[in-house]
Each structure stands twice: as C-alpha cells, then as structure tokens.
Amino acid sequence: MPTTQADPLAINFCGLHFATPLVLLSGCVGFGEEYTRVAGFSNRDVGAVCLKGTTLAPRLGNKPHRVYETPQGMLNAIGLQNPGTDYVVQSILPQLDFSETRFIANVSGSTVEEYIEVTRRFDDSPIDAIEINISCPNVKEGGVAFGNDPDMSARVVAACRAVTKKPLITKLSPNQTDIAENARRCIEAGTDAFAVINTLMGMAIDAESRTPVIGNVQGGLSGPAIKPIALLKVHQVYQVSKAHKIPIIGQGGVASAEDALEFLIAGASAIGVGTTLFYDPLICPKINAGIRDYLHRHKLSSVTQLTGTLQLPDTGPLCGS
Ligand SMILES: Cc1cc2nc3c(=O)[nH]c(=O)nc-3n(C[C@H](O)[C@H](O)[C@H](O)COP(=O)(O)O)c2cc1C
C-alpha cells in the first residue's frame, strides 16, 4: 500500500506503510491479538505490532517471579516463553488481520544457526518484517550475550540477512560499552533498521529473606525509568545510522506524546510503546493525537520532518557532569 502523504502521521518504514509512527513492542502484546479484546483498542492506531520473541522450539520460560514493579518501571525475566516458530507461523499468523497494521516477528535464539532457521521460516510466511533480538537479558545463551559483542552481533545480522529479503530490524542492547560501534558493525552486516533500546539489566532483593525477588535473579528493566538512557542511545545510534538512511524505532519508557516527540527529535523514525500498555492499553490514540497537535502547532506537514532535529549547543563533545 503506498504511503498516504496526506496523513501527517503516516511513514514509510523500510518500504512498509505505517499508518502512524507507533509500534507496539515485543513481549508487551502477546502475538498481536492480546489487546484486540480490550474495548476501544485497535491495531489500526499503530503502524506495526511486534510479536513476542520466538525461538525454534517452544520454551516454557523462567521460573517465577517473572515480573516485579519498580519505581517508574518494572523488571521482567519471562525467559522467552513462546510456542515455537512452526506454531507461530502455521497457527497464529493466519489469525492476524494484516489489513489493520503491519506485523513484525521477533526472532531469538541460542546459536547463530537457530537465528538463521527461525528467520528462514518467517521469511517463508506473510510476516511484514523481521526483528532480530540480540539483546534479551533473560536467557542464558544467545540474546544479550550476542548483542553485547559487536563481532557476534554482526555475525548474527549477516547470517539472517543471507536468508531473508524482508526488512531486517536489529534490536540493540543498552547493556554494552559502545552502542554506536555495534550499530556500525550491524549496518555493515546488512541490517535495514534498528530498534533502540531493549531492557537494561537489573535486580530486586527481598531484604527480609535476603533473596532475589526475580526467579532468574536478574531481569530487564523497562518503563519510564529507562527513558533518559534510551534517548541518549537513540541519539548515539542516529549519529551512525543517519548517513546510511537506516531508520530507528526509538523505545524505552514512552508514556505520552511528549515522550514520543523526544525520541523522534533524538533521531527515531518510529516510536515503540511497551510497558505503558500494561496500565493504559488505550494510550496509542492519545499519543497520536498529541503528535498531530504538535505538528499543527509547529506548522509541519509530516512527522518525518521531526526525525533527528535535535539542536545541539556548540559546547564540544557529549559528556556527563
Ligand atoms: C514483559 C516484557 C517482555 C518482553 N519480551 C521481549 C521479547 O520477547 N523480545 C524483545 O525483543 N523484547 C522484549 N521486551 C522488551 C520490549 O520490547 C522493549 O524493548 C522494552 O521493554 C523497552 O520499552 P518499554 O519501556 O516501552 O517497555 C519485553 C519487555 C517486557 C516488559
């Protein structure tokens, strides 16, 4: 479907028409059907929906507790519970209404071979795009172990690139020293886009029992608490990706139109909404309305005009206090 230029919220993302720049994030919307049961919710309010992380074989996930609320956020260690790639492709995808939005698979694995096989099977399916999750902090092998090592990240991206022509989105880990260098390597390896950022590793402790709250000991921190970190990572990745016209789905704690606008200005072309859906499943129409209002007030005809418009002061390199 061609992008409707008349709608200021519509974007072209790696050749795909997104009705709005919002993307529902992996692990926060099941397999795309979960919120469709909520009165007033519609997948038409977003440009795309990322399905839960999928591995080759089914996984039961980690032992409880798997989630824990923290100030302005939450820890999760689900452990990639999913029914396996064949079930997702054969039984879930046929139930999804592709006329409502774009659907993105989220590919995970413990070995490069597993990433290749899962990607190959999604390539042979109606899925619109493939996101490779090399940044999951909640599994013992693969995941963030790959995503924090630029060599391994590039290997996984190149291997998946070789088996699909669908848009390939690489989801980067914030738990690494130099995210921009990793992004550069992933661009060389053939990624079409980035998702920035996945969760940050954290933990919670029960002082009375002196035990970790999360069954997996550590979990991934998400929600508004991580937004300042996510904004900086998007800004850093954008410095590398803009020359290659590689778009970014900025994410991490988005809970309002103002948050979404900040991510766009930092360099994102689309904005992910995840944890916020757990307490406000109807947040997306409100964010869309807020972005529309901002565009109108600033006399902009398209949301694409905002990407990377951050005005930096002339004060030399970025540093902390
Ligand atoms: C309960 C839960 C499960 C998640 N599962 C996945 C997953 O399977 N694959 C993935 O790439 N990211 C997963 N994530 C990370 C989110 O997609 C998102 O990148 C992160 O939570 C930051 O966005 P947010 O602060 O808006 O939630 C999960 C997050 C949560 C909270």
Side-chain angles (χ1 to χ4, degrees), residues 19 39 66 71 90 101 110 199 214-215 247-248 262-263 286 299 315:
R66 292 170 162 200
Q90 288 158 24
T101 191
S110 305
T199 54
I214 296 283
I248 300 170
E262 289 169 34
F263 274 96
K286 293 177 228 170
K299 299 188 174 32
T315 52

Side-chain angles (χ1 to χ4, degrees), residues 24-28 50-54 66-67 74-78 80-81 106-108 131-136 138 171 195-199 220-224 226-227 251-254 272-276 278:
L24 302 186
L25 295 178
S26 181
C28 303
C50 291
L51 309 186
K52 173 66 187 167
T54 304
R66 292 170 162 200
V67 291
M74 65 179 279
L75 283 168
N76 94 81
I78 308 296
L80 289 175
Q81 180 182 350
N106 182 269
V107 170
S108 292
E131 178 175 75
I132 41 178
N133 176 11
I134 49 169
S135 44
C136 180
N138 300 325
K171 189 157 179 176
V196 183
I197 55 174
N198 208 321
T199 54
L221 183 66
S222 63
I226 72 170
K227 194 189 91 178
Q251 57 199 269
V254 172
V273 183
T275 300
T276 298
F278 296 136

Side-chain angles (χ1 to χ4, degrees), residues 113-125:
E113 290 68 34
E114 186 177 359
Y115 278 96
I116 294 172
E117 198 47 43
V118 177
T119 301
R120 198 195 302 274
R121 292 185 199 193
F122 275 116
D123 182 65
D124 193 21
S125 86

